[in-house]
């Protein structure tokens, strides 16, 4: 079946620190992989995606590389800002049904000045 | 741009009461989804609608019903609310049916408490 295992939080970093949030997955076939971000009181927003092995998704300084050999899609940012404080969700699309997404449990990031 | 609009934003119910959560999207998307978000469990799919006129069960459909009223609107109904249904509910939509490359667009959620 399809599942996503995500790094437990919460994560607290100082501004300008390096961020890694680990994500590994189990899937049949070749899923697409996503990172979504949820700011307080809001819905989820797509942060980045990768649709095939070795693809790198990037947006707003965040990056993640689709690693088929390690079934991973770790999120990284070189220098976090206070405005990056949010909950981050890793997700995969199982290519069944109507583009259904399978989510990890989310990682809360707090960046302190 | 409105995107995906959910109403209400907050609701408190008593056990056994019924209510309908409304969702509308203005992006001309074919597919729509209802998720619930619980602490430590991420988002779980309740029901989805691949296209107008069709609905299917997701991971946690028990205690819920849905209606795809037209292409824009997809409602979620709790017929007899239970405390276990206390959660934050998110509606989402996506452009293409059966195309896993397309991202989903989410509403801001409905926070539902059942006493």
């Amino acid at each position: 079946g399809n599942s996503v295992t995500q790094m437990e939080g919460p994560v607290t970093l100082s501004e300008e620190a390096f961020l890694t949030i680990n994500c590994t997955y189990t899937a049949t076939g070749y899923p697409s992989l996503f990172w979504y971000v949820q700011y307080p009181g809001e819905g989820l927003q797509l942060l980045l995606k990768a649709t095939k092995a070795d693809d790198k998704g990037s947006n707003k300084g965040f990056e993640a590389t689709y690693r088929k050999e390690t079934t991973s899609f770790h999120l990284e940012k070189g220098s976090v800002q206070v405005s990056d404080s949010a909950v981050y969700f890793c997700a995969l699309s199982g290519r069944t049904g109507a583009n259904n997404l399978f989510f990890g449990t989310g990682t809360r990031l707090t960046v302190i000045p | 741009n409105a995107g995906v609009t959910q109403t209400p934003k907050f609701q408190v119910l008593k056990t056994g009461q019924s209510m309908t959560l409304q969702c509308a999207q203005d992006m001309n998307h074919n597919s729509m989804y209802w998720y619930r978000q619980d602490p430590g469990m991420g988002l779980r799919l309740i029901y989805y609608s691949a296209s107008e006129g069709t609905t299917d069960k997701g991971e946690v459909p028990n205690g819920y019903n849905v209606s795809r009223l037209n292409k824009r609107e997809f409602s979620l109904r709790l017929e007899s609310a239970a405390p276990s249904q206390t959660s934050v509910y998110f509606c989402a939509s996506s452009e293409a049916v059966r195309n896993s490359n397309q991202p989903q667009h989410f509403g801001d959620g409905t926070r539902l408490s059942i006493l």
Side-chain angles (χ1 to χ4, degrees):
Chain A
N2 297 311
S3 67
V4 175
T5 301
Q6 193 174 335
M7 174 178 170
E8 295 280 340
V11 174
T12 302
L13 294 174
S14 296
E15 206 165 20
E16 299 184 2
F18 185 85
L19 169 70
T20 299
I21 300 177
N22 290 336
C23 172
T24 57
Y25 68 89
T26 302
T28 53
Y30 302 96
S32 293
L33 301 173
F34 304 85
W35 277 100
Y36 282 83
V37 59
Q38 183 180 30
Y39 298 103
E42 298 183 9
L44 279 70
Q45 303 173 25
L46 178 68
L47 181 59
L48 53 84
K49 71 175 185 180
T51 59
K52 61 183 187 296
D54 299 325
D55 267 3
K56 178 185 282 188
S58 61
N59 186 26
K60 300 181 181 179
F62 291 89
E63 293 184 339
T65 301
Y66 188 165
R67 302 286 188 198
K68 185 170 179 289
E69 64 276 12
T70 54
T71 61
S72 65
F73 193 53
H74 305 321
L75 182 68
E76 297 182 335
K77 187 174 185 182
S79 176
V80 294
Q81 305 301 312
V82 172
S83 57
D84 294 327
S85 298
V87 181
Y88 293 82
F89 292 91
C90 184
L92 70 83
S93 181
R95 298 181 187 258
T96 60
N99 188 16
N100 298 345
L101 285 175
F102 296 85
F103 285 89
T105 55
T107 302
R108 181 177 299 279
L109 170 66
T110 301
V111 180
I112 55 177
Chain B
N1 292 334
V4 178
T5 302
Q6 291 183 235
T7 56
K9 293 190 183 302
F10 302 94
Q11 185 70 48
V12 178
L13 294 178
K14 295 181 179 178
T15 298
Q17 287 186 315
S18 62
M19 82 160 293
T20 300
L21 280 61
Q22 307 288 350
C23 175
Q25 52 92 8
D26 62 2
M27 295 172 282
N28 201 35
H29 285 169
N30 287 308
S31 301
M32 297 185 74
Y33 313 80
W34 276 106
Y35 293 89
R36 59 178 289 173
Q37 182 181 28
D38 300 296
M41 301 189 74
L43 278 75
R44 293 180 292 169
L45 184 66
I46 305 171
Y47 270 93
Y48 67 94
S49 171
S51 60
E52 187 178 353
T54 70
T55 61
D56 286 286
K57 295 178 180 180
E59 182 184 356
V60 289
N62 291 346
Y64 304 95
N65 287 301
V66 290
S67 296
R68 183 73 182 267
L69 305 170
N70 47 55
K71 191 171 186 179
R72 290 186 64 249
E73 298 173 287
F74 187 40
S75 63
L76 178 72
R77 183 162 179 82
L78 286 71
E79 289 291 352
S80 179
S84 61
Q85 294 177 305
T86 294
S87 188
V88 181
Y89 291 85
F90 287 100
C91 178
S93 69
S94 67
E95 182 178 301
V97 175
R98 303 185 192 285
N99 182 340
S100 65
N101 295 343
Q102 297 297 324
Q104 294 183 14
H105 300 260
F106 286 80
D108 287 342
T110 295
R111 188 174 297 274
L112 181 62
S113 294
I114 299 164
L115 307 177

